[in-house]
Amino acid sequence: MPWNKHEKMRHLYKKKHVNGNTVNSNFQDSEHPPLVRTLKALAEQNVAGFHFPGHNRGRAAPSSLSSVIGLKPFIHDLSTIPELDNLFAPKGPIKDAQKQAAKLFGAKETWFLVGGTTCGIQASILATCSPGDTLIIQRNSHKSAFSGMVLSGAIPKYINPEYDFEWDIAGGITTSQVENAIKEMDIEGKKASAVFITSPTYHGICSDLEAISVLCHSHNIPLIVDEAHGAHLRFHKRLLHNSALLQGADISIQSTHKVLGALTQSSMLHLSGTIVDRERICKCLETLQSTSPSYLLLASLDAARAQISEQPETIFNKPVEIAMEAKALIDRIPRIRVLDSSTFETDPLRITVGVWKLGISGFEAYGILDKDFGVIAELTGTRSITFPVNLGTTRDDIVRLVSGLKHLSQTHNSTQVINDIQPLTETNTSMRLSPRDAFFASKKKVRFEKSIGKVCGELVCPYPPGIPLLMPGEVITEEALRYLINLKSKGCFVIGVDDSTLSTMVVCYS
């Protein structure tokens, strides 16, 4: 009798085929974690493959790419055949891999994401907010949070982050800010469905999540943390206190590819506590994720987990040591600053260097470091450059970085003021439409000066500070336009807008 899909999967999970011979192995070789060993065994099969993808285990791989990366990625790029398990109803290697990840990261349950942290953020908001519900959210959240509000129909209550004008960097969110937002809603007879915080930020700045989680839970409000930049925080004594789950977050979404060793686009969503409905998270992820997930990405998540599991308490000793050494060396360079805990609570593995005392911008400084020293940075701003340290960073890398910064210090010594614009971090704009209604509203372009009083139809985000000045659905004010004109005159730029020259603005109309 023919087997059904699940019977076949259970059978094949206990066997593998090598050169046409079946060997009882349970795929339990000690060298590889669950998903990796299953992928390896299946790639070694001698089979006639009548399944997707179309490159057919590399036999029809495009030569322009295979000549660069080889055939192995194609050979291991297998589709959703039963042996590899089902991401949305895991019973085999995916289930095992996710369970081991949950144990390592201290979660009640963990889901692998092939749509990046973007997908996890959208799912988290969709799982906690229904149409018309309020989400307390910091204004400089990742754009995926705003698309999450479009999907869910949630209404935002924005909190502006702390801001350091000297560094031109947005910081974290304070407990008192969240408390004030909750109190304001209580006065209105409303209750937030969730609180959404980004910690650490792109610059590695951490909020006091422990105090914020205690506050949220006292009101039975779930805390969602965009921890895209913090997958490593649980694995070193200098980092431990900043881990979102250890501080009481209900949901943490991490980009496992950013500091850990997974392939780009690979992330994890971790659930803790009992406030959030796990079944709703499952449904939201099933709605948002591809039904043809890349098993290379899934296997890379399993492999990254296994890599950390070998030495979870010491694996980041060397990177932290290297980062501390680098900061000490950079701190001795004249007219160059290092962002430290005296300004914000920061991730030790993020090296943010201030260059404004050299009389050049971060963009100019980075151009020299890239061109003359081969130093590639992750993030550049008007006054600073950020260099993340990870498991692959070497002392030779630090030598090149320090040499480049010394060169900048020796060749640039100007008293010119860089970025004398005071960022407009507080606005008096009002919300006329929800993010969802603004997204679906009819839109048109009007001349810049004619947009005052109209409803903004696009995200207007000056950089720096990277805090949106206008959100879709908010009323465009004269104050905001004056600020944008000032920005333009100083050569700064605005992201999110359709017309980068700011000659026109996109507005909503009925």
Side-chain angles (χ1 to χ4, degrees):
M1 293 179 64
W3 291 353
N4 66 38
K5 183 176 181 180
H6 297 300
E7 288 172 335
K8 182 182 178 184
M9 185 184 75
R10 283 193 293 269
H11 175 77
L12 288 172
Y13 188 57
K14 295 179 180 178
K15 300 185 176 196
K16 72 176 181 179
H17 300 265
V18 180
N19 296 324
N21 298 316
T22 302
V23 181
N24 290 322
S25 68
N26 283 322
F27 293 164
Q28 297 297 317
D29 63 276
S30 59
E31 289 183 51
H32 304 98
L35 262 173
V36 177
R37 64 175 171 251
T38 304
L39 198 62
K40 176 178 180 291
L42 293 172
E44 292 172 346
Q45 288 180 333
N46 179 13
V47 297
F50 294 92
H51 58 80
F52 302 136
H55 59 68
N56 204 333
R57 303 186 180 222
R59 296 167 190 162
S63 59
S64 59
L65 183 57
S66 63
S67 63
V68 176
I69 66 173
L71 284 175
K72 281 196 172 182
F74 292 96
I75 293 170
H76 292 83
D77 180 31
L78 301 174
S79 63
T80 52
I81 51 181
E83 301 95 307
L84 281 171
D85 208 356
N86 183 338
L87 181 60
F88 304 114
K91 299 181 185 301
I94 293 179
K95 180 179 180 180
D96 291 349
Q98 290 186 156
K99 276 189 173 181
Q100 291 187 43
K103 182 178 180 181
L104 177 67
F105 287 93
K108 178 182 177 181
E109 189 165 354
T110 292
W111 290 265
F112 285 180
L113 309 177
V114 293
T117 293
T118 289
C119 166
I121 288 172
Q122 293 169 340
S124 298
I125 294 174
L126 199 55
T128 53
C129 298
S130 297
D133 287 353
T134 301
L135 176 68
I136 296 175
I137 179 173
Q138 66 190 79
R139 195 172 176 92
N140 63 327
S141 298
H142 188 266
K143 64 181 181 180
S144 59
F146 301 106
S147 61
M149 289 189 285
V150 170
L151 291 168
S152 67
I155 309 297
K157 184 170 183 60
Y158 294 118
I159 298 177
N160 282 307
E162 297 178 290
Y163 196 82
D164 188 279
F165 292 94
E166 184 178 42
W167 281 89
D168 230 356
I169 288 176
I173 296 296
T174 66
T175 309
S176 60
Q177 287 178 301
V178 179
E179 185 174 23
N180 289 338
I182 293 174
K183 285 180 178 178
E184 288 172 6
M185 292 195 63
D186 189 51
I187 291 172
E188 298 171 4
K190 299 178 180 178
K191 177 187 173 183
S193 291
V195 171
F196 185 93
I197 302 289
T198 302
S199 181
T201 66
Y202 212 162
H203 292 95
I205 298 167
C206 301
S207 297
D208 185 358
L209 297 178
E210 183 173 6
I212 293 173
S213 68
V214 169
L215 172 65
C216 290
H217 294 162
S218 70
H219 294 272
N220 199 36
I221 300 172
L223 174 61
I224 305 169
V225 179
D226 174 0
E227 202 177 16
H229 295 274
H232 60 296
L233 293 179
R234 192 180 181 88
F235 307 112
H236 190 278
K237 59 185 176 182
R238 289 185 66 100
L239 312 172
L240 190 63
H241 66 288
N242 288 325
S243 169
L245 291 183
L246 285 175
Q247 292 187 84
D250 297 282
I251 298 176
S252 163
I253 313 100
Q254 299 175 339
S255 294
T256 319
H257 65 91
K258 280 187 164 65
V259 183
L260 306 187
L263 293 175
T264 296
Q265 199 175 308
S266 307
S267 296
M268 296 186 193
L269 187 155
H270 305 294
L271 175 67
S272 184
T274 58
I275 299 179
V276 179
D277 182 356
R278 58 91 53 194
E279 294 298 330
R280 192 162 170 179
I281 288 180
C282 289
K283 292 298 181 185
C284 292
L285 287 175
E286 191 170 348
T287 299
L288 295 168
Q289 293 215 89
S290 171
T291 55
S292 300
S294 167
Y295 282 88
L296 287 174
L297 298 184
L298 293 172
S300 80
L301 285 167
D302 195 20
R305 187 275 315 159
Q307 182 184 31
I308 300 298
S309 297
E310 292 174 3
Q311 299 174 308
E313 296 179 359
T314 60
I315 191 168
F316 276 98
N317 282 1
K318 182 181 176 183
V320 170
E321 184 181 313
I322 287 176
M324 294 298 102
E325 290 174 1
K327 290 179 182 181
L329 291 170
I330 296 168
D331 205 36
R332 299 188 193 123
I333 301 174
R335 296 178 303 282
I336 287 183
R337 296 273 304 276
V338 177
L339 185 68
D340 57 28
S341 56
S342 64
T343 306
F344 292 116
E345 182 69 37
T346 57
D347 172 6
L349 293 186
R350 292 290 159 101
I351 303 173
T352 296
V353 176
V355 297
W356 65 88
K357 291 187 177 181
L358 301 179
I360 58 176
S361 70
F363 302 106
E364 293 171 290
Y366 175 56
I368 296 169
L369 291 174
D370 181 10
K371 180 181 177 182
D372 297 343
F373 293 87
V375 173
I376 309 298
E378 173 62 31
L379 177 64
T380 308
T382 55
R383 293 188 153 217
S384 65
I385 314 172
T386 298
F387 306 91
V389 173
N390 54 47
L391 291 170
T393 306
T394 67
R395 283 187 166 84
D396 286 342
D397 297 330
I398 299 302
V399 168
R400 293 175 73 172
L401 172 59
V402 173
S403 296
L405 292 173
K406 284 181 178 179
H407 170 78
L408 290 174
S409 176
Q410 292 163 0
T411 55
H412 294 82
N413 183 14
S414 171
T415 57
Q416 175 188 357
V417 176
I418 299 300
N419 186 34
D420 59 352
I421 300 173
Q422 291 295 301
L424 186 64
T425 58
E426 297 283 349
T427 63
N428 295 317
T429 188
S430 59
M431 186 170 64
R432 187 80 55 81
L433 297 175
S434 70
R436 182 180 178 86
D437 289 341
F439 180 85
F440 288 107
S442 298
K443 298 178 183 68
K444 64 181 179 179
K445 285 185 179 181
V446 299
R447 292 194 59 78
F448 183 80
E449 64 275 9
K450 297 291 186 180
S451 65
I452 297 174
K454 299 187 184 301
V455 177
C456 189
E458 58 187 346
L459 180 72
V460 182
C461 185
Y463 187 82
I467 302 172
L469 179 67
L470 292 167
M471 299 284 194
E474 292 183 334
V475 177
I476 300 171
T477 63
E478 185 177 355
E479 176 191 29
L481 293 193
R482 279 201 306 267
Y483 178 62
L484 289 173
I485 291 171
N486 192 18
L487 276 178
K488 185 179 178 181
S489 70
K490 299 296 182 180
C492 296
F493 60 93
V494 180
I495 58 177
V497 293
D498 188 65
D499 181 0
S500 60
T501 68
L502 297 181
S503 299
T504 61
M505 296 279 285
V506 174
V507 299
C508 302
Y509 71 95
S510 55

